[in-house]
Every structure is written in C-alpha cells, then in structure tokens.
Amino acid sequence: MRLTILPVLVFNGVMSFAVATPLQNTTLKHSWDNIPRGWSFEATPDPDHTFDLHIGLTQNRVQDLIHHLMEVSDPTHPRYGEHLSKDEAEALAEADPASLNHTTSWLESHGISASRITHRKSGGDWLTLRVSVSEAEQILNTQYSIYRRAASEERVLRSLSYSVPVSLEPHIDVITPTTYFSTLQSMRATSFLQPESDPAEDIDALVGPIFENVPIPMGCSTTITPACLRALYNTSSYVPVSMGQNQLGVAGYLEEYANRADLQTFLKKFRSDATNASFPTVTINGGQDDQTKPGIEANLDIQYTIGMSYPTPNIYYSTGGSPPFTQDSETPTNTNEPYLEWITGILSRDTIPQVITTSYGDDEQTVPVEYATRICNMFAQLGVRGITLFFSSGDSGVGGGDCRTNDGTDRILFQPAFPASCPYVTAVGGTTRINPEVGVSFSGGGFSRYFSQPTYQNTAVSGYLAHLGSQHSDFYNPTGRAYPDLSAQANRFQVVVGGRLVSVGGTSASSPTVAGIFSLLNDYRLAQSLPPLGFLNPLIYSLSNHTRTTSGNDTPSPGFNDIVSGSNPGCGTNGFAAVEGWDPVTGLGTPDFGKLQDLVS
C-alpha cells in the first residue's frame, strides 16, 4: 500500500492538516497542545485504511454505582460486603437509551448503517464500528496521522484532537482511539532487572527453616524470596482451606508470558511444598501463551502470587494488542487501547478472581482525563462486584524524566501515575531492608491532578499534609487522590526466567506480594461464610483511629507495619518523606497478616 504524504502546516511546533469537514456546531472533547512527548509525526495514513472506533456512551447512573461501591466497601455500613451481581453492576453502568438512539442517529447521518455498529454492555455501553480513516475524520472533525515512538519504533494511528456535535456532548463520555497515545508497548512495566544485585549463589541459605528464635530467614537482608515475605508479613503458619471458592488473578500485557516450567523450578527452589502448583492462562483480545518466551514481569508476578497464596488457584490473563502490520509497515492495522481491552474482557465474565494484581502504568498526564475517568469508573464496577484491584504505584518516585507538563505551560510538576491514582483501586508502593523496613527510593507516590481526594482517606492524609506544611507546595495537588495506599518489599526479588535465577526490583514485586496476602485474607473470610473483602480502601483507612501523636502525625494503622523512614525523590527534588502514619511513599505501611486476620473476621 503506498502512502501519500500531504503538505504539513506547523502551528506552535504541532503538525496539522486541513480537515475536510469544517467545525460546525461541535464541541471539542479533547486535544493536545503538542504531540505527546516521545512521539513524532511519521506520515499521513491511507484514507481507506480501516480500524475499530469505540464510542463510550455516558453512564448516567455512575454516581449511583459509586454510591453502592462505597456502601458495600465501608465496614461501618449495614450493607458492608453485600456486593452486586454482574447484572446489577451492569445496570448501574449502562447509558440512557436516549444516548444510544441519538448517537446511532448521528452515525447514520454520516453513512454508518446500523449493521456496522456493535453494541457492547461490558463496562457500560460501548459502540464499536469499523471505519476508514476518512470516515473517522469526517465524523470526529479531526485529522488522523501515523506517529512513531522513537524508543520502540512503534507506530500508531492517533489524532491530536476530536470533536462531537454540541447536542451529543451529554451523551458521549469518550471515543477511542483518538488522543490517548499509550499502547501496550509504551506502557511501563513497574519492574527492572538488578544486575548489580547478584542472585544468591547458595540457594539453600535462602530457604532454610524458620527457627523459633529466628523470625526472618537468613539472607533476607540481601535477597527476597517467598520465605522472606511469608515470615516478614506473618503468613507462614496460615494454611488456606477455601480453594474451591477463592481465586487470584494476574493481569499481563506486552507479550509477557508466564512460564510454567520456570514456575516449577522456582517452587522447587523456594517453596517445595507447592511443587504441584500450576496456573491456566486466559487470553483476552488476541493474547497468547507462548511458553518459549518467558517474561521477566510475568514470571515475577505469577511466581510470587503463587509463592504467597498457595494452594489458592491463580489465573494469568494474557492481553493482546501488539500492533501487527500489513506488508506496508508504515500503516498500522492495530489501534488497541490497553486498559480498555483488558477491563472490558474481564467485566464480560460471570466469574472473576476476588483479587487481581496489575504491574503496569502510565504518567497520569499522558492519559486524556475523559479516558482515565471512564477506565476508573470501570474499575469501580469491578469493585462493586467484590473484586479487589491492586496496582503497583510506579518506579519513578514523584516523577521520572524532566517532569515537564504537556498542557502547553511546560511547568515542572510531580507526575502522578495512572491507574494508581484512580480512587477505586488499591495502589501498592515499595519498601526495602528489614528490621526495620524503609521506603525504597523509587516508590511511586503523590497526589492525583485528575481525581479529587476520596473521603475515606481525608483524615489520614490531612495528618501528612499538616506535617509537610509548605514544602513542595508548587509541585503537587494537595486536594488530589493520594497514593500509595500500602506497600511491601520491592528490592532484590529472586525470579526464575528461562531456567536462570535473576534479581528483580520494582513495585511490580510489591503488588503481587500484597495481592497474595489479601487473597489469604479472603480465604480466611470465605471459610467463615463471609464475603470477600472487595474494594479495600475504605476498610484499610478506617482501621486507623487517627489520633494524633505528640509529633502531630497520625498513629500507625492497626494491621500494618508503619514505615517511618525513606523518601521517593524525583523531578529534581528529594520528593516526599515517610513518616508516622500514612505517607505518599509507603501509604499506611506493610501488611501484618496475623493482625489483619483479627480485624477482618
């Protein structure tokens, strides 16, 4: 297929093109002032190239959905634990029939027949239609271009803005793919190899028995294994009994495949009582399960969720979306949106694991606010069904790179991470060392600029803000959703990849660790005929009595090991500091399973 490069007009450094259909009686849904950082204009696409356009209709009852979520997640409310069914949650997420009718009429006016439109109910009402580039440009009063990401040579089809008729503004939440540039390749996996931390040569020294007078196994100050974590977070003596009811899920992207042979090697080395464990891989959106390509991130996640939760059944979700290309490599034939593909796939299922961990994220500012809001509301839809969602908080402290804003002002601000900044997920930060643990320097944490601070954390966060005073006041939003919510070890995890032992760090290690612990708490509750914990944050923030200490900070939250030292520098600053009570480095602290057992029963 031959591409025709059209003349380019440049305004304020942004390449633009004349649009065939003039803007008439339309409203702008979203636009970028500049091409998002890391991407550059590559070419003009063939106008006949086709792709799937997704239209998210306005969820008129989303506030009712959030209201239900908060009631069933609040341990002081009479409805605590009365999670909704799939059908009940979908009813609260659906659009008004008028929105469906008005939007389909609009599409028909552009020559899109009803037979070309697919209506999906998962995650609210979504319309999917196969369109050509020229059709999409006319419908959305925009110009699509092919953009290239220098870091990976990845090419995507995106626009810098899009509009809808004024009359449809109340009926449409978001349309994709348009201005959200992130893809499965540009998402960050929040883990990294640590070649400077050599794997232990003497494996037996790491997995020796936990003697009565030695609560933490030898070697845990330099390398982390399941034995270290089980001792550190007090799960060693618990034996799960609700395997027929309880499940733990791991979300995988980026063609990262969890390898079963590596799991067996890992368990033989580090948890010999679990060597009969395995896991199924469930594919979403064309995901695969290539056992010849073990992934570091995937193996880290599944080895430590199973290592912490055995014999609880684990499931690995492999989400597809890496762009295939036609013979003409300049023309992308894939425009998947990473979180949208995964969560719609999960929400469509009747049975979902009670706990799911995800170790990927983006800078919040790179995600259009309309898209982030819709995805966050879809996470709430999972929560109201009794699902606990853990997301790693990121590995860039308060922000990586130059921390400059992409809103045209080019200011230097702390850069919160998404989805960790969504108030309906539980964000997990990182610690290092033992006796005592300290906040690890790369632990992502801060305050959202998209989502306001939820009431469940107001008291805990106000103590930290009082302690902080005017420090960093020009860099963050004190009224935003604060994160992380809790934390766990994040350094020197021993992982088997391709039969070899490697050392891995990152909050990607923290999130599956915490997921395993709370999966055990669900097991404990289910054994008592109690419902699973579901959306966790109202519970864990309510555990603290929030009385003031002489230093003016909050007291530690019962059930958690308070982390009082460490910081998360970034953006040319020393970042935030860990203190007594909640802080934006380690949240409420690291979990103590034994204490939490007493609090959740």
Side-chain angles (χ1 to χ4, degrees), residues 473-492:
S473 59
D474 292 336
F475 291 92
Y476 76 97
N477 170 28
T479 64
R481 149 41 171 178
Y483 75 98
D485 302 298
L486 39 75
S487 54
Q489 288 282 314
N491 249 341
R492 303 180 304 275

Side-chain angles (χ1 to χ4, degrees), residues 57-61 91 94-105 119 121 125 127 168 171:
L57 302 181
T58 300
Q59 298 172 293
N60 291 330
R61 298 185 64 192
E94 66 185 7
D96 189 297
S99 296
L100 177 62
N101 294 334
H102 289 311
T103 303
T104 53
S105 295
H119 181 198
K121 300 288 288 184
D125 289 276
L127 302 182
L168 283 180
H171 300 290

Side-chain angles (χ1 to χ4, degrees), residues 378-399:
M378 294 167 79
F379 291 145
Q381 193 175 338
L382 280 172
V384 82
R385 290 174 60 178
I387 312 304
T388 304
L389 294 175
F390 290 107
F391 278 86
S392 51
S393 69
D395 294 342
S396 300
V398 293

